[in-house]
Amino acid sequence: LSALLRVSNELVSDADARGGNMSIASIVTEQMARIFAQTEETALLAASNVSGAPASLLNASGLPTSSTGGYTSITAAAVIDWIYSLPRQYRNHPSVAIIVNDSTLGYLRKLGGVGGTSNISNYFWENGYTKGGSGQAPEPDRILGIPVYTSAAISALPTSGTTATKIGIIGASDYCYMGTTGNYELKVLRERYADTNETGYIANMRMDCQLALPTLAFSALTTAAS
């Protein structure tokens, strides 16, 4: 991953004069780290592999899939079958989690009970709660006790089409190995753009990611072709 930003020296001077966290270096470092994280997320959870990036986890060789049937008729029963298709030792692992798109999460949240019995839905969905204290993350919502997170990188719930779509992944993240070569670097280029009265900032990082047990510790949720 690499990113280059050119900033006018006038802006650099104005920001640094404010002191504290208003320095250009601190702002650029934070923003480039955010962009790098989003870029990694997009590549690792994409429907198709991104050129020049690690293979998407949803395209891992041998990754099991569980079908919901048609995208307009997903049931709580189908989602429960998907969760229980994951072997117990990974389903009960402390690092297990579900990741879906916001659109899919909204659909799951509105699902009724299994077999028309509305009170069974209490066992399907558990609302998260907000912890006390400023800046603390809320407890995630859960399905059958498993934390549910969202990512815009995963395919949204289809509204049309004729191809099967992977709309979610469940797995024990401790069996997802991520590695970086060297640390995240940020370099300041003070002279390169002197002719335009600018300062350059370039950030670099190398990383890779792979599922250690794709056939056992993970499973994808897939809608059937319409």
Side-chain angles (χ1 to χ4, degrees):
L1 287 168
S2 182
L4 173 65
L5 175 66
R6 293 166 61 175
V7 181
S8 73
N9 287 330
E10 181 181 5
L11 180 58
V12 172
S13 178
D14 290 345
D16 288 344
R18 293 178 177 269
N21 293 327
M22 286 301 296
S23 71
I24 286 293
S26 64
I27 294 173
V28 169
T29 298
E30 178 182 349
Q31 294 302 318
M32 283 191 170
R34 177 182 61 83
I35 293 298
F36 277 12
Q38 291 177 342
T39 303
E40 291 178 36
E41 179 182 0
T42 299
L44 297 179
L45 295 174
S48 301
N49 292 337
V50 177
S51 177
S56 170
L57 304 182
L58 287 166
N59 294 319
S61 177
L63 181 69
T65 60
S66 183
S67 178
T68 64
Y71 59 83
T72 59
S73 57
I74 299 175
T75 64
V79 177
I80 291 172
D81 287 342
W82 170 51
I83 292 173
Y84 278 94
S85 71
L86 199 69
R88 178 185 56 80
Q89 62 267 40
Y90 306 111
R91 189 176 68 246
N92 295 335
H93 196 278
S95 69
V96 71
I98 294 169
I99 307 176
V100 294
N101 187 278
D102 281 321
S103 61
T104 302
L105 185 65
Y107 188 101
L108 297 179
R109 181 67 182 85
K110 292 182 287 187
L111 283 179
V114 179
T117 307
S118 59
N119 62 356
I120 293 182
S121 64
N122 294 332
Y123 298 98
F124 172 76
W125 182 274
E126 300 171 41
N127 287 325
Y129 62 89
T130 302
K131 299 178 181 179
S134 175
Q136 294 191 14
E139 176 74 12
D141 294 325
R142 296 172 183 265
I143 294 178
L144 299 181
I146 297 176
V148 185
Y149 301 96
T150 61
S151 171
I154 288 187
S155 296
L157 190 66
T159 56
S160 62
T162 58
T163 59
T165 303
K166 293 177 182 175
I167 60 171
I169 186 169
I170 182 175
S173 60
D174 279 359
Y175 295 95
C176 177
Y177 294 156
M178 299 187 67
T180 60
T181 302
N183 297 321
Y184 169 79
E185 294 180 334
L186 179 65
K187 298 178 181 179
V188 182
L189 310 178
R190 302 188 187 280
E191 302 297 332
R192 182 173 179 182
Y193 303 106
D195 58 326
T196 57
N197 196 30
E198 294 175 314
T199 297
Y201 296 86
I202 186 168
N204 297 286
M205 189 182 74
R206 292 178 58 197
M207 63 84 60
D208 200 354
C209 183
Q210 188 172 0
L211 298 181
L213 298 173
T215 62
L216 294 174
F218 298 86
S219 177
L221 184 64
T222 305
T223 62
S226 58

